[in-house]
Amino acid sequence: MSAPAGFKAMRDDVLQQIDFQALFDVLPSPYMVLDRALRYVAANQAYVQVVGRTREELLGRDIFELFPDPGESGRLLRASFQRVIETRHPDSMALISYAIERPASRGGGMEMRYWSAVHTPLLGDDGEVAFIVQNTVDVTELQALKDTAQGPGALAPGPGETSLLQRVQEVQEANLSLLQETGELRDIFRQAPGFMAVLTGRDLTFTLANDAYNQLIGHRPIIGRPVAVALPEVRGQGFIKLLEGVMASREPFIGRSISVLLQRAPEGPPEERFVDFIYQPILGADGQAAGVFVEGSDVTDRVRAEEQQKLLLDELNHRVKNTLATVQSIAAQTLRTSPDPQAFKEAFESRLMALSSTHDLLTASSWRGADLRDILGAEFRPHGVERYKLEGPDLGLSPSQALALGLLFHELATNAAKYGALSSPEGCVKVTWTVADDRLVIAWTEEKGPKVTAPTHKGFGSRLIERSLKGELGGEATLDYREDGLHCQVILPLQTAG
C-alpha cells in the first residue's frame, strides 16, 4: 500500500529541513568521498578520527599519495576502486590489511590496521561514475583477538569451529576469485565483436552495454536510463513495442536485416543502419521477465553490398538485352545490304568489332560512359595518326550515346576507307565538335579524297541514323555528299557520362 498523501507532504517538509551535510558529518561510521581521479572531496568526522588526519590534510589529495602501499594491499584497494568505475556497481572488501601513519601524539610511525570496506558509485549526468563513496570499518581489534586465539599454545578449534575472522578471510578469498572471474567475463562482454546490452525493469533501463553497442548508437550516455529516454529516436520505429512484447510473452524475438534510424552524432541527422539481432527475455526466480538481453550485429555493409549486387545484376540484365537487340539489328541490316554470304560475314564481323571496342571503353569506366575523343580514336587508329584530325573539348558521353556514335563513326570510317578520303594517300578526315545550349554538335569532314556521289539506296549508316540517333536519342544527322568529300553533321541533346 502507498503512503497517505498527508504523510508524503510531511515527509517532504522534513527532508527540506534536514541539513544533509551535517548529517553526513555526524554519522558514527567512517565515510569519505573520492572523485574519479581518487582525490578526496569529502570526509566525515568519524573517518577523520580513524585515519588520524584533519580534513585540510585530506581534501584535494590523492588517497594513495597520503596512504601509500606499493604491496598487495595497495593493489587490492586500487583494483576495487577501478571495478567501481568500470562496472558502475558497488564493490565490497570483506577484509584488507592497510598500514596508516600514527599521529604524533601516539609516537608517529606506521601502524598496521585491518579494514572492511564498501565502495559505492555516484553517477553523473553522463551515466558514468563521478564519485566513489567509501564506508569503512576498522576491524583491527577483531583481528588481534583472532591472532591471540591462534597464538602459541592456543587450543585448536573443535570440530566445526572456526573463528569469525577466519570465515571472513575465506569469504574474502572467494570474493577475490569471483571478482577475477567477473572481471574476465566483463572484458569478454565489453570487447565482443557483436553489440550487446542488458535492459532491466518494466521501463527497460540500460544496465550494461558493450563497446560495439556504444559505437552503434554514437557513444551516448545510456547506463541508468530507460531505452525510450536514452534513444528517443527509436520510439516511433516499433522497437520498444517489440521489447515490451518480449517482456510480456517471455519469448525471444529475432530480427533479420532490420532497418533502424539512429542519431549517431549529437547534432547530425538520423542515419540508417541495418541490424541482425535477438531480444532474449531474462527470467527471474518467479518465472517472470525481469529484463531483456539484446545481442546482434551491424550488417549495414552486407545489406548495402547485396543491394548493390542486385542493382548491378539488374543493370547487367538490361545491358545484355540491349546488346542482343543491337546485335540482332546489326545482323538484319547487314544481311539486307550484303550481296553474298562472304560480304555479309566481313561486314557483320567488322560491325561487331566496332561494338566490342565501344564496350571495352565503357567497361573501363564501369559503364558510367566513354570519352568522345576515345571513341573516335578507336575507329581511326588503324589508319594512322596522319590521316585524321580531332578538335574539340574533352567530353564524356552516356553509354547509349557512346554505343550509337561508336557504330556511326565505324560506318563513316569504313565508307571513307572504301570510297572516300581514307581510300587515297593524300586524303584525311577532320572531326570537330562543340557544345552549346546543352547540345552536342559534331562535324565530320572528308578532305582530299576522290569525288563522291550519293548512294542510290539506304545503307546501314542511314538506317542507324534513323533508328538510333533520331529515334532513341532524340538527335538529328545530315549527310552531304559533296564533290570534295562527304560532310556529316550530328546534333544530339547533351547527356554526359554518369
Side-chain angles (χ1 to χ4, degrees):
M1 296 178 61
S2 61
F7 174 80
K8 292 181 179 179
M10 180 183 69
R11 179 201 62 191
D12 293 342
D13 184 58
V14 170
L15 289 176
Q16 291 178 1
Q17 297 179 46
I18 292 177
D19 184 343
F20 283 94
Q21 176 63 42
L23 177 63
F24 171 78
D25 196 47
V26 300
L27 289 173
S29 183
Y31 282 89
M32 63 85 165
V33 182
L34 303 176
D35 63 13
R36 284 180 63 92
L38 305 182
R39 296 171 299 199
Y40 284 96
V41 295
N44 70 351
Q45 188 59 35
Y47 185 87
V48 169
Q49 290 176 349
V50 79
V51 299
R53 299 291 183 101
T54 66
R55 282 196 181 90
E56 290 71 19
E57 292 176 302
L58 296 175
L59 298 184
R61 300 285 297 280
D62 185 299
I63 185 173
F64 292 104
E65 178 187 348
L66 287 174
F67 302 107
D69 188 329
E72 181 68 7
S73 295
R75 186 190 69 79
L76 291 174
L77 182 60
R78 188 182 294 274
S80 178
F81 291 143
Q82 191 61 35
R83 283 192 295 272
V84 173
I85 292 173
E86 290 180 357
T87 67
R88 308 178 187 90
H89 290 294
D91 190 77
S92 299
M93 306 190 73
L95 182 67
I96 180 174
S97 59
Y98 209 99
I100 64 171
E101 187 177 356
R102 288 195 191 95
S105 61
R106 292 173 54 192
M110 301 299 292
E111 179 181 13
M112 182 61 69
R113 308 293 293 178
Y114 293 86
W115 313 86
S116 179
V118 177
H119 300 138
T120 304
L122 294 178
L123 304 183
D125 292 338
D126 61 356
E128 301 296 331
V129 175
F131 302 100
I132 301 173
V133 179
Q134 183 194 75
N135 173 218
T136 186
V137 178
D138 188 340
V139 294
T140 305
E141 287 75 12
L142 286 175
Q143 180 68 21
L145 288 174
K146 171 203 163 185
D147 293 340
T148 300
Q150 295 183 349
L155 295 176
E161 295 180 359
T162 185
S163 69
L164 172 62
L165 286 180
Q166 185 177 352
R167 292 198 300 271
V168 169
Q169 285 182 319
E170 292 172 353
V171 171
Q172 176 75 355
E173 291 173 359
N175 283 343
L176 288 174
S177 177
L178 288 173
L179 287 171
Q180 183 177 359
E181 293 178 5
T182 301
E184 292 173 354
L185 289 173
R186 184 176 65 249
D187 290 341
I188 293 173
F189 174 85
R190 182 177 59 82
Q191 299 175 33
F195 62 76
M196 293 188 285
V198 176
L199 308 173
T200 58
R202 305 309 303 180
D203 59 352
L204 300 166
T205 296
F206 280 101
T207 304
L208 292 172
N210 72 345
D211 293 349
Y213 194 93
N214 285 320
Q215 181 179 9
L216 177 68
I217 63 170
H219 299 281
R220 282 178 274 179
I222 59 174
I223 302 302
R225 301 182 179 183
V227 62
V229 175
L231 307 174
E233 70 269 28
V234 307
R235 283 182 291 193
Q237 299 184 55
F239 292 97
I240 294 179
K241 288 185 178 180
L242 287 177
L243 289 165
E244 291 172 345
V246 169
M247 291 282 286
S249 68
R250 292 171 291 172
E251 294 291 334
F253 176 86
I254 299 175
R256 302 288 187 192
S257 302
I258 303 299
S259 170
V260 57
L261 294 175
L262 293 171
Q263 189 170 1
R264 307 183 76 202
E267 302 299 330
E271 180 181 337
E272 184 178 32
R273 308 298 293 178
F274 294 89
V275 291
D276 287 348
F277 66 91
I278 180 171
Y279 289 159
Q280 178 71 41
I282 302 172
L283 303 182
D286 58 358
Q288 299 301 310
V292 177
F293 176 71
V294 179
E295 189 273 332
S297 55
D298 185 343
V299 296
T300 304
D301 291 342
R302 187 194 75 196
V303 170
R304 288 179 177 162
E306 290 173 351
E307 291 176 346
Q308 180 68 14
Q309 184 180 44
K310 183 179 182 302
L311 181 64
L312 291 175
L313 288 174
D314 291 344
E315 179 66 18
L316 178 61
N317 184 48
H318 177 69
R319 290 174 189 169
V320 168
K321 288 181 178 179
N322 284 347
T323 300
L324 290 175
T326 301
V327 171
Q328 184 181 26
S329 176
I330 291 173
Q333 297 297 334
T334 304
L335 183 62
R336 181 178 301 174
T337 58
S338 298
D340 56 65
Q342 182 61 30
F344 167 79
K345 178 179 180 298
E346 293 175 359
F348 183 61
E349 288 180 351
S350 176
R351 287 162 183 164
L352 286 185
M353 289 302 295
L355 181 65
S356 175
S357 177
T358 307
H359 270 248
D360 288 341
L361 293 173
L362 291 171
T363 301
S365 69
S366 299
W367 274 78
R368 290 189 297 271
D371 191 82
L372 174 57
R373 192 183 305 274
D374 292 337
I375 296 172
L376 285 163
E379 293 301 328
F380 284 123
R381 198 168 294 118
H383 303 285
V385 295
E386 72 281 358
R387 305 301 301 277
Y388 65 94
K389 297 178 183 178
L390 305 180
E391 295 180 3
D394 292 338
L395 181 66
L397 300 174
S398 67
S400 58
Q401 286 183 332
L403 290 170
L405 289 178
L407 286 173
L408 177 60
F409 294 148
H410 172 74
E411 293 302 311
L412 291 173
T414 300
N415 186 74
K418 288 183 177 180
Y419 314 110
L422 298 180
S423 67
S424 64
E426 298 81 14
C428 70
V429 178
K430 182 179 180 180
V431 183
T432 62
W433 62 92
T434 58
V435 176
D437 299 327
D438 293 327
R439 294 194 311 166
L440 170 62
V441 180
I442 303 172
W444 174 290
T445 304
E446 298 185 17
E447 301 174 344
K448 300 180 181 179
K451 294 182 178 180
V452 295
T453 57
T456 58
H457 64 280
K458 284 186 178 181
F460 182 88
S462 300
R463 291 188 174 88
L464 179 65
I465 291 173
E466 292 178 354
R467 181 179 178 275
S468 297
L469 294 183
K470 294 182 179 179
E472 297 178 8
L473 301 179
E476 57 183 273
T478 57
L479 295 172
D480 186 1
Y481 295 91
R482 302 177 185 176
E483 287 191 1
D484 59 342
L486 174 66
H487 289 239
C488 176
Q489 185 181 63
V490 178
I491 301 176
L492 286 176
L494 189 60
Q495 297 178 6
T496 57

